[in-house]
Amino acid sequence: MRHDRQLTAAELDSFGAELDALRQRTLDDLGEPDARYIRRIRAAVRLCCWSGRALLLLGWFPPTWLLGVALLGLGKILENMELGHNVMHGQYDWMNDPELRGTRYEWDIAGPADFWRHTHNHIHHSYTNVLGKDDDVGYGLVRLFPEQRWKPFYRWQPLWVTLQALLFQYSVAVQHLRLDQYVKGRMSRAELRPLLRQFNAKLLRQSVKDYLAFPLLALLLGTSAAAVLVGNLLANLIRNLWTFTVIFCGHFTERAAVFPPSVLEGESRGHWYLRQLRGSSNLTGGPLLHILTGNLSHQIEHHLFPDLPARRYAELAVEVREIAARYGQVYNSGRLSRQFGTVLRRIWKYRLA
Amino acid sequence: MYLVPLSLARRLGPALKPLRALVAGGWLQEADTDCLLRLVHPALRLKRVFARVESRVWVADDMLALGLRTNGNAHGWRPGQHVRLYRELDGVRHGRSYSLTKAEPDGRIELAVRRQPGGRFSNGLLERLEVGSLVELDPAQGELTWPHEAGSVLLLAAGSGITPLLGLLRHALAQGFAAPVTLLHYVRQRRQRAFGEELQGLMARYPNFQVRWAISGEAPAAGELAGRFQAAHLAGRPVHSLLACGPHGFVASVDDWWRAEPRAGGLQVEAFTPPAPSVGGGEQVRLRFARSHRELPGNSAVNLLEQAEAHGLRPPHGCRQGICTACTCQLLAGGVRDLRTGGLTHGPGLPIRLCVSAPLGDVELDL
Ligand code: FES
């Protein structure tokens, strides 16, 4: 579905050099406005989460309860995407603020940040859409490309995907455990044990917070523990569905490309950029969409420059699109509804051999 | 107005223990907790040291003494140690080290800041850090200690090297140290004699203490020494224990002089500038790995990740091409060059990616 021009080695080099130069120009320009932005996002996260939780403590009264769910869900989305994801990419390391240091940040989802820093920052971003290397291609549950070998299990994949969307934060958390390797005997119990311990500890903390501590607080205050529990459950669900949508739209749209492992042999900088461009897809929309997706609506720019502050992607996109056009590369971008439609079509189509 | 004054906020420290335990267990975020504590008092934090500026006193033409009061998270600080002070410029938190000229048990400390030609950070402190403002500090470090057993003490300071020695001196004299103490302070110009009045006051009060100035940029007056450090300046002075602080060149020449003869007493030196950096490829540098307490030879052309691994260290890493940030590590001293862009990063406390950074000269890493 893509009609990209093949690039010569010399073209690849100049393509890479242009993108490197673009990255450097942005790096040189980082400053106060970027710092202010991420701190405002953090303030917005706190405001949404804390006010959402406070409203839920008022019980089932519909206006406050619904608003509480919405605010907490919004806060969790912002924390997950624009704050957590981006900070953990090291996008704000240049600020030298210990509270926003990528290697130390711990986010408000089930998976330990350390797991994600490995599976996402390292594996996914180095091996984007390389079959057999990037586990994010289908997460082992879904067949999205004809190049993936078919198994009978995939026949039911619309069901698996639905479950995955509902439980997305757990599916991201569990990914790093590589349970498939363990089952196949390629990973020993001793290797798995420390990972499992870390996994359980984080899972416990997150569940205790949302499903025990805050409902108990409601009991103490004499309001409804059930209202808080259900509210928290819904807020997590909203976040799961939204992040699932954004992530799947970033890499598995109709015009997204996958690559055989052989592309990695002696891959040049220019070719690495090219693979990131071809493997990613953007969403068009207004500023609110961009913030809510953590600017992963600019998935292409994110994959080219994962460590630049995401608020810069919109301005970078103008130049990236122009460079892509000059080198005859498809710039895969479209409305959310359209891109998501093509993802669903893939899921439906490749369930059969 | 704040909910409570700083003196009361300081006393809240022990009450925050349960919160610290919750943060340590991962049940609370330190940043969120600090955000709430700041409503009680802007300097109040769970663990980080913040301090309020309480006084500004010019102690020389080019040196300002800042009186600060810390928030209660500063433990065991001693005069003569140094702390890193942080300020934000254009969204970036920069840090510089200053010596403690005072450290009282009630949390009052004093730092002296010298004007640097062209220095944005220090000059910003001199011009814009008002009484009442807040700054962040790192825990104090430094090994200089007063030789309480010594039969006589000689202090040699050059420029702002006076600051740690003054901290130690004030403390020792106040504690009743009675053996002879001599301080030689090397300055370029007479108006740079920092804390001059106070030192003369100390000389009047303590008969065992003597101070002399050596002037290198003007004609010396009566009673002053001339020029840079030289053995002749010490002729006839009993030297049992010697403490010296100043720029690298000064400290190196004192060190040479001391080692020229066998001596019985103790020598402590501290340099506040690193040896001149060697820029370019393939030169020999020293790598210091602070956590593993190792100092090893390195090469200025090779990335730090490979060099650390070659020495048997196992820093976390992932992509090895500067994307995943797994290898991010704090630079404690020195500077590095980004191998992808040629960009330079200097200065303590800044995060660097080992896999794409080569040392510019001697570096110290939080590894
Ligand atoms: S190893 Fe990935 S950034 Fe250094």
Side-chain angles (χ1 to χ4, degrees):
Chain A
M1 272 309 192
R2 292 181 67 105
H3 304 283
D4 297 309
R5 183 151 64 80
Q6 281 297 103
L7 299 185
T8 65
E11 276 179 314
L12 271 178
D13 283 346
S14 66
F15 176 73
E18 283 193 48
L19 289 170
D20 272 339
L22 182 56
R23 175 178 181 276
Q24 192 56 39
R25 276 206 295 286
T26 310
L27 268 182
D28 294 342
D29 187 48
L30 296 180
E32 179 59 30
D34 302 275
R36 203 181 318 128
Y37 175 80
I38 195 65
R39 291 198 172 124
R40 284 197 180 148
I41 289 290
R42 189 176 55 183
V45 166
R46 285 176 181 151
L47 194 70
C48 289
C49 289
W50 294 352
S51 61
R53 290 197 188 276
L55 286 172
L56 288 179
L57 284 174
L58 297 177
W60 287 112
F61 181 54
T64 55
W65 187 78
L66 283 174
L67 188 62
V69 173
L71 280 171
L72 185 55
L74 178 66
K76 281 182 177 259
I77 284 175
L78 283 175
E79 200 276 340
N80 193 164
M81 310 292 266
E82 187 71 324
L83 188 61
H85 170 268
N86 291 338
V87 164
M88 282 156 64
H89 262 293
Q91 292 180 358
Y92 296 92
D93 279 0
W94 54 273
M95 284 171 62
N96 192 29
D97 179 337
E99 294 182 355
L100 296 170
R101 189 164 287 164
T103 45
R104 279 203 221 154
Y105 192 86
E106 182 64 61
W107 56 357
D108 183 35
I109 80 168
D114 284 339
F115 280 20
W116 186 86
R117 277 187 271 263
H118 180 76
T119 47
H120 181 90
N121 276 13
H122 172 36
I123 305 285
H124 170 61
H125 274 271
S126 312
Y127 304 123
T128 313
N129 281 23
V130 175
L131 290 171
K133 281 282 201 175
D134 179 2
D135 295 324
D136 280 20
V137 181
Y139 295 89
L141 278 179
V142 195
R143 179 167 179 260
L144 294 155
F145 297 91
E147 292 88 340
Q148 285 170 283
R149 198 149 42 85
W150 186 84
K151 288 182 252 170
F153 168 80
Y154 290 136
R155 216 174 280 152
W156 300 96
Q157 69 180 11
L159 182 64
W160 309 143
V161 173
T162 312
L163 285 174
Q164 191 191 13
L166 293 171
L167 301 172
F168 197 59
Q169 62 163 334
Y170 303 105
S171 110
V172 170
V174 101
Q175 195 184 358
H176 184 71
L177 294 178
R178 307 298 320 261
L179 291 177
D180 57 324
Q181 300 289 312
Y182 177 69
V183 171
K184 286 180 199 149
R186 281 191 222 137
M187 188 201 238
S188 71
R189 186 169 278 261
E191 279 174 286
L192 184 65
R193 204 171 296 124
L195 297 180
L196 217 48
R197 203 173 304 132
Q198 214 180 339
F199 174 82
N200 291 337
K202 182 78 197 284
L203 199 64
L204 179 76
R205 282 202 299 268
Q206 288 296 109
S207 332
V208 164
K209 186 166 73 176
D210 277 348
Y211 304 128
L212 199 68
F214 280 100
L216 273 180
L217 188 60
L219 268 190
L220 282 177
L221 295 173
T223 62
S224 164
V228 173
L229 190 125
V230 176
N232 288 348
L233 200 75
L234 270 183
N236 278 326
L237 187 69
I238 296 172
R239 194 253 313 262
N240 283 350
L241 292 176
W242 176 247
T243 46
F244 164 83
T245 309
V246 173
I247 304 297
F248 270 59
C249 283
H251 293 295
F252 314 129
T253 56
E254 182 181 24
R255 289 183 295 171
V258 282
F259 314 92
S262 58
V263 292
L264 295 171
E265 284 160 28
E267 188 177 56
S268 68
R269 179 102 181 123
H271 196 272
W272 182 83
Y273 272 132
L274 190 68
R275 182 157 59 77
Q276 304 302 329
L277 170 67
R278 290 179 176 175
S280 316
S281 32
N282 280 12
L283 302 172
T284 53
L288 187 64
L289 176 92
H290 296 315
I291 292 184
L292 288 181
T293 59
N295 275 292
L296 292 182
S297 48
H298 295 106
Q299 189 73 244
I300 295 177
E301 287 69 29
H302 175 56
H303 262 270
L304 296 173
F305 313 114
D307 56 352
L308 291 183
R311 71 181 285 269
R312 297 288 187 139
Y313 292 160
E315 72 189 36
L316 286 165
V318 179
E319 285 190 61
V320 170
R321 189 187 271 272
E322 185 268 327
I323 294 173
R326 249 190 302 117
Y327 285 85
Q329 303 301 308
V330 174
Y331 187 86
N332 181 353
S333 178
R335 276 198 330 272
L336 173 63
S337 53
R338 193 192 158 272
Q339 297 283 55
F340 194 55
T342 70
V343 172
L344 294 182
R345 203 170 320 136
R346 267 194 194 277
I347 294 171
W348 189 254
K349 187 166 163 194
Y350 296 115
R351 78 186 206 286
L352 298 176
Chain B
M1 250 355 283
Y2 318 131
L3 277 182
V4 301
L6 182 55
S7 51
L8 187 60
R10 282 178 51 80
R11 255 173 277 146
L12 283 177
L16 301 177
K17 235 181 171 170
L19 287 179
R20 290 197 189 99
L22 284 173
V23 165
W27 296 95
L28 276 184
Q29 296 270 359
E30 184 180 341
D32 290 348
T33 317
D34 278 351
C35 171
L36 290 177
L37 290 176
R38 279 155 76 171
L39 302 176
V40 180
H41 188 281
L44 192 60
R45 297 292 194 289
L46 271 191
K47 298 183 196 153
R48 292 164 69 177
V49 182
F50 276 73
R52 195 181 60 195
V53 180
E54 296 202 316
S55 66
R56 293 166 50 97
V57 179
W58 286 93
V59 292
D61 258 24
D62 60 351
M63 197 184 274
L64 178 76
L66 288 172
L68 302 162
R69 187 156 180 159
T70 59
N71 63 359
N73 292 340
H75 301 292
W77 290 14
R78 290 181 283 110
Q81 288 189 302
H82 45 84
V83 291
R84 199 138 57 220
L85 182 147
Y86 290 99
R87 291 206 81 201
E88 215 174 286
L89 298 170
D90 298 331
V92 183
R93 177 171 164 270
H94 292 276
R96 292 282 182 284
S97 287
Y98 299 100
S99 296
L100 291 171
T101 48
K102 221 181 247 170
E104 308 286 353
D106 66 354
R108 282 176 218 275
I109 58 169
E110 185 190 78
L111 308 171
V113 181
R114 185 172 174 209
R115 186 181 299 285
Q116 306 288 341
R120 210 154 75 102
F121 190 92
S122 290
N123 296 351
L125 297 185
L126 301 182
E127 281 147 30
R128 282 186 296 280
L129 191 67
E130 302 299 335
V131 168
S133 19
L134 275 190
V135 291
E136 182 173 6
L137 303 169
D138 260 357
Q141 291 184 332
E143 306 299 328
L144 288 183
T145 48
W146 189 265
H148 284 282
E149 311 303 322
S152 71
V153 178
L154 178 64
L155 306 171
L156 296 177
S160 47
I162 183 74
T163 51
L165 300 185
L166 177 73
L168 290 167
L169 172 73
R170 278 171 170 170
H171 191 68
L173 291 178
Q175 301 260 302
F177 184 75
V181 182
T182 309
L183 166 66
L184 298 188
H185 187 191
Y186 289 84
V187 291
R188 208 158 295 152
Q189 273 150 354
R190 200 160 292 117
R191 51 197 180 73
Q192 295 174 322
R193 291 173 305 180
F195 298 98
E197 276 174 31
E198 182 182 344
L199 287 168
Q200 275 170 338
L202 288 175
M203 189 153 70
R205 243 175 76 206
Y206 297 98
N208 62 326
F209 173 61
Q210 257 217 344
V211 58
R212 299 283 298 278
W213 282 276
I215 314 276
S216 64
E218 295 177 301
E224 287 173 347
L225 302 168
R228 291 159 173 266
F229 169 76
Q230 49 205 267
H233 289 169
L234 303 179
R237 292 181 197 281
V239 184
H240 182 249
S241 208
L242 172 61
L243 278 79
C245 182
H248 180 76
F250 171 79
V251 166
S253 55
V254 171
D255 201 62
D256 288 345
W257 171 80
W258 179 268
R259 286 175 207 285
E261 290 173 34
R263 291 172 201 278
L267 169 75
Q268 296 179 59
V269 295
E270 193 172 83
F272 53 74
T273 57
S278 53
V279 186
E283 287 168 54
Q284 283 293 310
V285 297
R286 311 260 341 141
L287 308 175
R288 269 195 308 281
F289 301 110
R291 257 173 225 264
S292 37
H293 300 288
R294 296 220 283 165
E295 187 170 335
L296 297 154
N299 184 299
S300 68
V302 182
N303 75 61
L304 285 164
L305 181 60
E306 278 173 29
Q307 301 200 50
E309 287 173 340
H311 288 303
L313 275 76
R314 292 281 164 267
H317 61 84
C319 63
R320 307 187 78 101
Q321 50 177 316
I323 15 170
C324 72
T325 73
C327 65
T328 302
C329 166
Q330 251 192 75
L331 185 61
L332 297 177
V336 298
R337 180 167 49 99
D338 188 316
L339 291 166
R340 296 170 298 177
T341 63
L344 306 183
T345 304
H346 282 283
L350 289 172
I352 56 162
R353 285 179 213 176
L354 298 176
C355 64
V356 288
S357 301
L360 264 182
D362 296 356
V363 292
E364 184 169 354
L365 298 168
D366 183 24
L367 258 186

